[in-house]
Amino acid sequence: MDLLDDTDGAGDNSPEFTVSEISGAVKRVIEGEFSHVRIRGELGRVSRPRSGHVYLDLKDDKSVISGVMWKGVASKLQTQPEEGMEVIATGRLTTFPGQSKYQIVLEDLRPAGAGALMAMLEARKAKLAAEGLFDAARKKQLPFLPDVIGVVTSPSGAVIRDILHRLRDRFPRKVLIWPVAVQGAKCAPEVTRAIEGFNALTPGGALPRPDLLIVARGGGSVEDLWGFNEENVARAVANSALPIISAVGHETDTTLVDFVSDRRAPTPTAAAEIAVPVRLELIAAMGEAQSRMTRSMSQRLDLRKQRLRDVARALPRAESLLDPVRQRLDIASDKLPAALTRRVDHARLTLSERTGSLRPAVLSRMAQSERRRLTDWSARLSPRTIQRELVLKRETLAQTSNRLNAAHDATLSAHTQNLDSLSRLLQTLGYKSTLARGYAVVHAGDQVVTSKDAAAQAGVLEIEFADGRYEVGAGPAPAKPTAKPAAGKPKKSHKSEDGQGSLF
């Protein structure tokens, strides 16, 4: 019984471990056994915190493994992880003691074949189509002859050379190139920034704003062209105020940019052909149009002349229209001398009748009547009436003058009070009042010194006080202990550490 008691109690020789020791042992076992693994599965939860790391879940129909991808690895991925994507993850298994869980630290993450990429592409395509980004009504009209063409592509590839060569052959235009990576993890963000940057240019600025954009890249596999299938690139193209021609890949290659762009070109060379017409063809078309216009004008003139001749033949001759008028004129001219004689005789008879009634007695009576009328009018024109009018007008003038003087005095008083108020405000807010309170302004010639560097560069400094100016040299002055300001007096302001301020 004593032996059994010792075995059940203090005689137990099993070792005791701490929680951290057990967690460390488990961590070493898992990391030693699974230092490098590849896992095929479907992405579940995908989280991207502000730190730049990526936290995700790998799952199949029965199990889930948590995964973490550090910021440096996530920035190098060609295809960014999305929920529902089937991937092949490469990394090492480890534990997270803080939550008693194991996880995989990812070193690489790739889609599980082209089928996974195409499935994800179809899902994105359906999402953007449901938002209406593929609608024909949203597509903008391309300019017939753009002055400036912006090209988003690699500056060192054959694509830009083909575009420039084709533009030079058809119709030379100004070309702005925004260099971007057309493959890899940097492709999508750089293409997005390029499209947004071209749209942000100010019309008429130092750098001309393009009238048309071409997004171009040569052919390649689905993985190589995947940067142009990213959602941010497609939305940047759809939201662009400038019309965009998509020339990504060869004719058989299709990306999301092709669906949201305003026009798709099968090749970069074809994009240049769509962007501008052929200059020689335009010149020939203009010459032909001018010839047609000349022929049309000649035909219209000939037709009008023929119509005028036809109408002229239907009109009567000028002689037949003038003969009756000439005849009436001859008849009237024959009757004119007799009519003048009769008119003169009638006037003489009327004059004789009028002069017969003008006898001296009649003239005398008329003169007396006019004198009486003149006497009556002169009696009415009395000086008293004029004097009364003058007195009345003088009184009216005096009253008007008094009102005018009163209004002038009131206006002058109001302006005087306003001027006094402004003068007091000027004295309060002007820098002269600030100088009177103990401040000063440092001048260097005609300039006001506002920093220590400017004072060091000036040859001579002039300090303006309230009672005048004092000129000093610009060299450094010996340091003096600052005295504590007396109570009740304002402290003088000094320059701040950044050298700003002109009052001290």
Side-chain angles (χ1 to χ4, degrees):
M1 291 296 295
D2 295 337
L3 181 60
L4 292 175
D5 293 337
D6 292 339
T7 302
D8 295 336
D12 190 357
N13 295 325
S14 300
E16 296 179 353
F17 299 97
T18 63
V19 175
S20 298
E21 289 174 346
I22 289 295
S23 297
V26 173
K27 182 180 181 68
R28 287 190 296 271
V29 170
I30 292 179
E31 291 182 351
E33 293 293 331
F34 303 97
S35 60
H36 185 271
V37 293
R38 298 183 66 195
I39 303 176
R40 184 187 184 103
E42 179 183 342
L43 290 181
R45 173 188 59 89
V46 179
S47 175
R48 293 182 177 87
R50 298 179 61 182
S51 61
H53 309 314
V54 179
Y55 298 93
L56 50 83
D57 291 338
L58 288 171
K59 64 180 182 178
D60 55 15
D61 56 346
K62 297 180 180 180
S63 303
V64 178
I65 297 177
S66 298
V68 59
M69 184 184 305
W70 305 126
K71 179 180 180 181
V73 177
S75 62
K76 298 178 181 179
L77 291 179
Q78 294 186 1
T79 304
Q80 294 298 318
E82 294 185 7
E83 186 174 348
M85 181 190 303
E86 187 177 2
V87 297
I88 297 177
T90 304
R92 56 185 178 84
L93 289 180
T94 184
T95 63
F96 184 55
Q99 296 182 356
S100 296
K101 59 183 292 187
Y102 70 94
Q103 61 185 7
I104 179 172
V105 178
L106 299 175
E107 299 173 355
D108 188 21
L109 187 69
R110 297 183 180 181
L117 288 179
M118 296 306 297
M120 185 169 58
L121 177 60
E122 291 299 325
R124 288 182 182 175
K125 183 178 177 181
K127 176 182 177 182
L128 297 179
E131 296 179 11
L133 299 185
F134 299 166
D135 295 344
R138 299 185 76 259
K139 299 187 181 298
K140 296 174 282 296
Q141 184 70 27
L142 301 183
F144 176 72
L145 184 60
D147 291 333
V148 182
I149 299 176
V151 180
V152 180
T153 187
S154 173
S156 58
V159 171
I160 187 61
R161 292 195 296 271
D162 293 342
I163 292 176
L164 295 177
H165 178 71
R166 199 58 177 163
L167 290 176
R168 191 181 305 112
D169 291 342
R170 292 174 66 85
F171 207 122
R173 298 281 84 187
K174 295 180 181 179
V175 177
L176 292 179
I177 303 174
W178 195 301
V180 297
V182 294
Q183 183 175 339
K186 296 182 179 179
C187 174
E190 289 186 2
V191 172
T192 302
R193 286 194 298 268
I195 296 173
E196 294 174 350
F198 273 131
N199 280 271
L201 292 178
T202 303
L207 189 63
R209 189 187 190 196
D211 303 313
L212 176 68
L213 296 184
I214 298 177
V215 179
R217 186 207 186 281
S221 62
V222 177
E223 292 81 2
D224 295 337
L225 301 178
W226 191 254
F228 297 91
N229 288 321
E230 294 292 346
E231 185 175 346
N232 56 347
V233 177
R235 292 189 181 277
V237 173
N239 296 329
S240 173
L242 301 174
I244 295 180
I245 299 177
S246 171
V248 179
H250 297 303
E251 187 171 1
T252 57
D253 298 326
T254 303
T255 62
L256 288 180
V257 173
D258 297 331
F259 294 99
V260 296
S261 61
D262 302 299
R263 186 76 175 271
R264 179 184 182 270
T267 61
T269 303
E273 295 175 355
I274 295 173
V276 295
V278 180
R279 186 172 182 270
L280 296 179
E281 292 179 358
L282 285 179
I283 294 175
M286 291 296 293
E288 184 179 356
Q290 185 175 3
S291 300
R292 290 200 303 269
M293 184 178 66
T294 303
R295 290 195 302 269
S296 176
M297 291 299 297
S298 300
Q299 292 174 0
R300 288 181 65 86
L301 288 176
D302 295 339
L303 180 61
R304 296 294 182 182
K305 289 178 181 178
Q306 183 63 36
R307 289 183 178 178
L308 181 60
R309 287 192 294 266
D310 295 341
V311 173
R313 285 194 296 268
L315 292 175
R317 293 180 299 172
E319 291 79 5
S320 61
L321 295 176
L322 293 177
D323 287 342
V325 179
R326 288 172 180 171
Q327 186 176 3
R328 288 197 300 271
L329 179 61
D330 293 339
I331 295 173
S333 62
D334 293 340
K335 295 180 179 179
L336 182 60
L340 290 176
T341 302
R342 287 194 302 270
R343 179 62 179 169
V344 171
D345 293 340
H346 181 71
R348 285 175 179 174
L349 179 60
T350 303
L351 180 61
S352 298
E353 292 177 353
R354 296 290 178 86
T355 56
S357 62
L358 294 178
R359 295 186 298 275
V362 176
L363 294 176
S364 177
R365 287 196 299 270
M366 291 178 63
Q368 291 177 0
S369 175
E370 294 296 330
R371 288 192 186 97
R372 286 195 296 269
R373 292 177 58 190
L374 181 60
T375 302
D376 294 339
W377 280 107
S378 61
R380 295 178 183 178
L381 298 176
S382 174
R384 296 176 182 177
T385 304
I386 297 176
Q387 290 176 358
R388 285 196 300 270
E389 289 293 331
L390 287 176
V391 171
L392 180 61
K393 296 300 182 182
R394 287 193 183 98
E395 292 177 355
T396 304
L397 179 61
Q399 293 175 359
T400 304
S401 178
N402 292 334
R403 290 197 301 269
L404 181 61
N405 291 333
H408 176 267
D409 294 341
T411 303
L412 182 60
S413 177
H415 285 301
T416 302
Q417 293 178 359
N418 189 20
L419 182 61
D420 293 339
S421 300
L422 293 177
S423 177
R424 289 192 297 272
L425 183 61
L426 177 62
Q427 291 177 1
T428 303
L429 301 179
Y431 85 101
K432 293 292 186 180
S433 301
T434 305
L435 295 179
R437 294 198 297 269
Y439 293 86
V441 180
V442 180
H443 299 271
D446 295 335
Q447 303 294 328
V448 176
V449 178
T450 62
S451 66
K452 179 177 68 176
D453 294 338
Q457 294 176 2
V460 177
L461 297 178
E462 190 177 13
I463 302 177
E464 181 180 358
F465 298 95
D467 56 351
R469 296 192 177 191
Y470 179 72
E471 186 175 300
V472 296
K480 295 182 180 181
T482 57
K484 184 176 181 181
K489 295 184 178 180
K491 296 181 180 180
K492 299 180 179 180
S493 64
H494 297 275
K495 297 180 180 179
S496 62
E497 294 180 355
D498 56 358
Q500 298 296 326
S502 61
L503 294 178
F504 64 89

